[in-house]
Amino acid sequence: MMDRDHTVQISKKPSLRPVAIVVFTAKLMVASFLVAQASLLPASPVSEVYGLSR
């Protein structure tokens, strides 16, 4: 039989969902920033060698 304090302690376990949402949003923002920066750069010889030219 479980006592009341033990069940309260289990129910107040911190959730990682808000942290995951913040991390996912930050990754999305960084990725969109990098794509925007790459689209502004002029085509370099290195990107043409690897077939990354636009």
Side-chain angles (χ1 to χ4, degrees), residues 5-54:
D5 293 333
H6 187 67
T7 55
V8 169
Q9 186 179 12
I10 291 173
S11 64
K12 289 190 176 181
K13 189 185 235 183
S15 174
L16 291 179
R17 189 171 184 187
V19 176
I21 292 172
V22 169
V23 169
F24 178 75
T25 305
K27 284 184 177 185
L28 200 62
M29 290 174 65
V30 169
S32 62
F33 173 75
L34 291 176
V35 168
Q37 290 297 314
S39 65
L40 293 176
L41 291 175
S44 66
V46 175
S47 64
E48 292 173 7
V49 166
Y50 289 106
L52 301 174
S53 58
R54 291 175 250 147

